[in-house]
Amino acid sequence: MSRHRIPGRGRVDAGRPVQFTFDGRSYDGLQGDTLASALLSHGVHLMGRSFKYHRPRGPVTAGSEEPNALVGTSRGPGRTEPNTRATVQELRHGLVAESQNRWPTLSFDAGAVNDALSPLFSAGFYYKTFMWPRNFWDKVYEPVIRRAAGLGRAPTEEDPDIYASRYAHTDVLVVGAGPSGIAAALAAARAGASVTLADEGTEIGGSLLSDPGVEIDGSPAWDWLEDRAAELRDLGVTLLTRTTAIGYYHQNFLGLVERLTDHLDEIPHGAPRERMWRLRAARVVLAQGALERPLVFDGNDRPGVMLAGAAQTYLNRYGVAVGERAVVVTSHDSAYYAAFDLADAGIAVPAIIDTRAEIRPDLASEARLRAIEVLSGHTVTATSGRLCVASVTANPVTGGEVGEGRQLRCDCLLVSGGWTPSLHLFSHTKASLSWDAEAGTFLPDRSLEDLHLAGAGRGLWGYAASLSDGAEAGAAAAHALGHAAQATGLLVARDRIGTGITHGQLPTHRAPSRVRAFVDYQNDVTAKDIKLAVSEGMRSIEHVKRYTTTGMATDQGKLSNLNALAIAADALGTTPPQVGLTTFRPPYTPTTFATFAGYHRGAAFEVTRRTPIDGWAEENGAVWEPVGQWRRARHFPQGDEDMDAAVDRECRAVRAGVGIFDASTLGKIDVTGPDAATFMNRMYTNAWTKLAPGRCRYGLLLGEDGYVRDDGVVGRMAEDRFHVTTTTGGAARVLTMMEDYLQTEWPDLDVWLTSTTEHWAVVALNGPRARDVLAPLVEGLDISGEAFPMMSVAECTVAGFPARLFRLSFTGELGYEINVPARHGRALWEALMAAGADHGITPYGTEAMHVLRAEKGFIIVGQDTDGTVTPEDLGLGWTIGKTKEDFVGMRSLSRPDLVARGRKQFVGLLTADGAVRLEEGAQIVDDPDQPLPMRMIGHVTSSYNSAALGRSIALAVVENGRERMGETVHIPMPEGNVEATIAPGVFYDPDGGRAKL
Amino acid sequence: MTRFSAAALVRNALNGQTGWTAQWPDAEPKGAYDVVIVGAGGHGLGAAYYLAKEHGITNVAVIEKGWLGGGNTGRNTTIIRSNYLYDESARLYDHALDLWEGLSQELNYNVMFSRRGVMMLAHNVHDVQSFQRHVHANRLNGVDNRWLTSAEAKDHCPPLNISADARYPVLGAALQKRAGTARHDAVAWGYARAAAARGVDIVQNCPVTAIRRGADGAVEGVETARGLIRAKKVAVSAAGHTSVLMDTAGVRMPLESFPLQALVSEPVKPCFPGVVMSNAVHAYMSQSDKGELVIGSGTDQYTSYSKRGGLPLIEHTLAAICEIFPIFSRMRMLRKWGGTVDVTPDRSAILGTTPVPGLYVNCGWGTGGFKATPGAAHTLAHTVARGEPHAINAPFTLDRFRTGRLIDEAAAAAVAH
Amino acid sequence: MLLIHCPYCDETLPEMEFAYAGEAHVARPVDPSRTTDEEWRDHLFVRSNTRGPHAERWRHVHGCARFFNAVRDTVTDRVLATYPAGSPRPDLPGKDTP
């Protein structure tokens, strides 16, 4: 048994030892221990180093608010995490823990030189220096500062764990399973409400787990807890332990993080490490309790200085004596109970130093019974000890004067400066707080959410009060939901009631410059720093916080905020609410990134949309390209072809024979109804009225701002039905836009819109032999050139599948797009491949498709346009119905800047040397020799090697480009200037004869 | 005012820090000023500083409803870059970058501008085309920006996942090495201190309730919680609250205010160089000098002044971070916070004169205001002093929404600022 | 995550089912060609950006897919009322301040 373990005490399992290591050294603890309690059981207080001064530090708490005892933990490859709080990390077999922010060792840290230089490192010192020479900040000073800063080390390997998430609804969510939370959950559940009770601890009970001497309804506290746990289960309450409510969002939506495996010796196969509960509650009861507040005095940060309540927890819950000789310093009655428990367990408690002049008589006599000297009306002015506290100096205060001190020997110093209600979640709701001057703390005021507060979390103290308050809150929550509920009172014996006062910095007679009284332990912010910030004009607590970094450490000011506020208010000669309270921000405690991500990791980060032909492409070696959420085959390399070679071959095949292309990702919208043509007229620039059923037209869609948003071929299937295609990325946007206008601007139109993108698989056949391949498979339609000319659409059967057949061309060759129900997509593809085998049918990907269309000067919206391009800019003015009085975007086309001269116009570009291919995005100038910044007159939007032309081609937008055909422009590149000639955008078959075969 | 220096630090280390004075006095407002600036963020304070320093106008008040630097100046993720596509934006942000580089010395306040580079990831062919267009345009504008292959991107930022089978593979990146980060609070404090030293009054906790116009329509002053403050020139630099204020002067604005969230991790030793942005997944990250990973996300979908923001956005942002930097998935989020950003239809700022004589406006910075701070402040001061815009901010007019001469960075690249 | 009542489905559902669609009651001019540049600018771009109860459009995009209007307090984010597209804004008492 370790030296400081008290046999038979606590809730640890003495029969189940657990081995772990800390800084390479092996220790044993017990099942039920935290890392901190296990180390303390071996007398190890020194667990970390502070952020700035590298001062030795031990745990000050026994909970999640711990600022000091942060360690690195690991359990094998990829399973490491920095800054784990030793006070909440449950012991497990083989736990490996390492101290942080020290070199070479925890007990001898070279970084502690900062401590000796601390007068230089006052609050905000870095704003005042490191400015000379000018270039030294980010090259010299900052790297040094950055290496010194930070605490643990980030993981360097991928995390093998999985993380879960779950949505849930509950009538009543109770946050905190201390006495008031349990009482609330019981009251609500007994009334018939569905209840979820969540607590960050390993079991329910809260402070009762540290107060076994209390009796409730005649039962010892722990027996009562066991009975209540059983009752909660019987009532069907969802009990979530190891679960932290991290954030309170709009309308009773809370995020709760449940830790599932970090405490287990072995991780069950497939078990998630943590789970995010996204919980919506009809009512919320916040029973978060209160956090003990440290006292601020010189040397209050030495290892062994600990909150009194924490020492009581280590003793009663873990059976660990935090020292052999404990002195207590307090401004609150609660520390007396801790002192009594320690004394009763055989630990020497020579003295309680109380800042108050008046001591409650019953506490004074209890102290006397245990031979504890009570020094009332005293302050603490110093402590000693290097790696652990060795003494404390207590001085009487009379009439504001600090008298001669008396040194008391000790190996731990238990501190209590009162209790701060945990209002974090309450504050997340943007609720207001009110200042309670008497208690020296903020209390909850008003919130818009449907919530209740109970117990110590709203400033109550003592078990009887908390239990009845909790029961009332639970009953009120159930009542609000229409349940007949009542709060039953409970009889509490040996209750631990108390009051106290609060302080800023404790009075001292020592010269201020010699006093180092810590407010924020981890960030090494002292009372002096706060006063300095105030004297430098920082009058808001937000300024003080940001200037000194108080409250910005990993405990987010849970221990320090109110002390900092009190000290700032004292320095300003005002009250704390005048200085303000810094906002509490989610999460309540630091929360794993991956827990937010949940299942959305790796391939599941976002859905990947695949076409019905995706599998064929996969099997045939497609190289993929992500386009929006889709993956599309970019090219189909054969042998060791690179992309250029593959694309070249695919393009030649289309121009010379026949190519096959999966166009299924194209957006498709079915526009149906008596007013379909009217609707189309209003949406698109084109005129649709005269388009005959069975015919298609290229449609152009603008935004209301007049700029091109989307395009695609639209087929008129019937008088009242259009088959609209959109760009792959634009499908959802276009449908939303159409719905918006239809529903809200023109509700009088009788039109239905249906997304059919996923209904149809689309296969494009292009090339002079396209008809030869297709014709034998078509039934019910004559697809001869005369019977089924360019821009026709008809319903027929292809390879036995019902199809909508379009004759159109995005390549300039004879082309068809065959739409069949998606489930037949792959079968159609394979039928066409088989039918085309004799014709040398060649599958081609998006890259070849891009080249082929560029040879024809067809735009790709989003590549050749950028959201600032008008139809006229593109030379697509012809799409605008000449007699139309209105369509979306029409009015904007006459705005001054859209009719001004000098707009960039879409043209072709041919480099002087056809072997040189321009870079897409390259900028165009008239004078390549001008100084920077150059006047740019346009840019290259598309650029390819054209197999058909045997040279490079490019598309571009150029100022007044269409008036400048044949003129030379320049594209200055890092490697040198490239000359190019402005040309018409149609490079191949300008008359378009090939598509009309 | 105590001049800041290493010597001053040593002196004060020896004298118990007694030699420092208030960095700026907490002024009571006078009845009248030559210029009133509404909003004591970096932009407003900076404008006051440049008015005093470069235009000799020192009878200036900066009026702030809360505490100075408490709005978006103190809530952003401190990214500074100038690799914008359009000439107008590139000039403005590069002007700011030039000023950033000497700002610590200019203000005698270490604003910790750190040229650690900003890298923007391309995840698809469209991104590649768009970023290369940026790189080329920037080069000819004299703006630093270069294209990196995915392997080069990984060299620059080792935690990056460049696996080809990632859901969002990295096809390359654009890197502006001269870009970086700065200490946001220090910018506000540095400008406040330097402006105060030149006689500017900084009035905190004094909400402006209305802009007052005279019978001739010109500005007369501002109504505040502490009474009327007269001024013939008023500049509104109030970010998300601009619409509400301008309304009181009868000017309706093309602005909408959205909640924007950001978060930091627990601090760790240096593990991440510079800033990495991914617009495709809406997340970006850097590491602060304290060691926290600083992460920004997109805006929530609805307009809001609540500074609250929802959980789903944070979930998405951290999923994106885990996707791009999988080794950080066990890091822990320490705190998240929200701000209110004012967004224009073209995602570019409005900086200049208004239809109301004597009324100037600086707003619409969306998520890009911090990086512009010195440039915006400098040109706003010029505009207020001369009554007409500086060449650099001249294109950023309110009138462009009438003419259609928009500066649409977002449309050009789907790039978040 | 907000809770929003879809006036068509008559159900109160989480925000994730809905898409925000900008300020409400910004009607497209019947004949845009008759608007001045200023009027057209106002229609396209100028928004009230109200601090307080704000009439705005939402679409129940993962439900009935219909657009409707809502009055939401932009200070608290709380939806105060929802009503079908085309209906006038309802009269509501004051702000939704805590």
Side-chain angles (χ1 to χ4, degrees), chain A residues 169 286 340 528 837:
Chain A
H169 290 262
L286 295 176
F340 300 160
K528 202 161 49 189

Coordinates of all heavy atoms in Angstrom, one line a residue, chain A residues 169 286 340 528 837:
Chain A
H169 N -33.9 13.3 -27.8 CA -34.9 14.2 -27.2 C -35.2 13.8 -25.8 O -35.3 12.6 -25.5 CB -36.2 14.3 -28.0 CG -36.0 14.9 -29.4 ND1 -36.3 16.2 -29.6 CD2 -35.5 14.4 -30.5 CE1 -36.1 16.5 -30.9 NE2 -35.6 15.5 -31.4
L286 N -30.4 23.1 -14.6 CA -28.9 23.2 -14.5 C -28.6 23.0 -13.0 O -29.0 23.9 -12.2 CB -28.5 24.6 -15.0 CG -28.6 24.8 -16.5 CD1 -28.2 26.2 -16.8 CD2 -27.8 23.8 -17.3
F340 N -11.7 18.9 9.5 CA -12.1 18.0 10.5 C -12.0 16.5 9.9 O -11.5 15.6 10.6 CB -13.6 18.2 10.9 CG -13.8 19.6 11.5 CD1 -15.1 20.1 11.6 CD2 -12.7 20.3 12.1 CE1 -15.3 21.4 12.2 CE2 -13.0 21.5 12.7 CZ -14.2 22.1 12.7
K528 N -0.3 41.3 -9.1 CA 0.5 42.5 -9.5 C 0.3 42.8 -11.0 O 0.2 43.9 -11.4 CB 2.0 42.1 -9.2 CG 2.9 43.3 -9.1 CD 4.2 42.9 -8.4 CE 4.8 41.6 -9.1 NZ 5.9 41.1 -8.3
A837 N -18.0 -1.8 -80.4 CA -16.7 -2.5 -80.4 C -16.1 -2.5 -81.8 O -14.9 -2.1 -82.0 CB -16.8 -3.9 -79.9

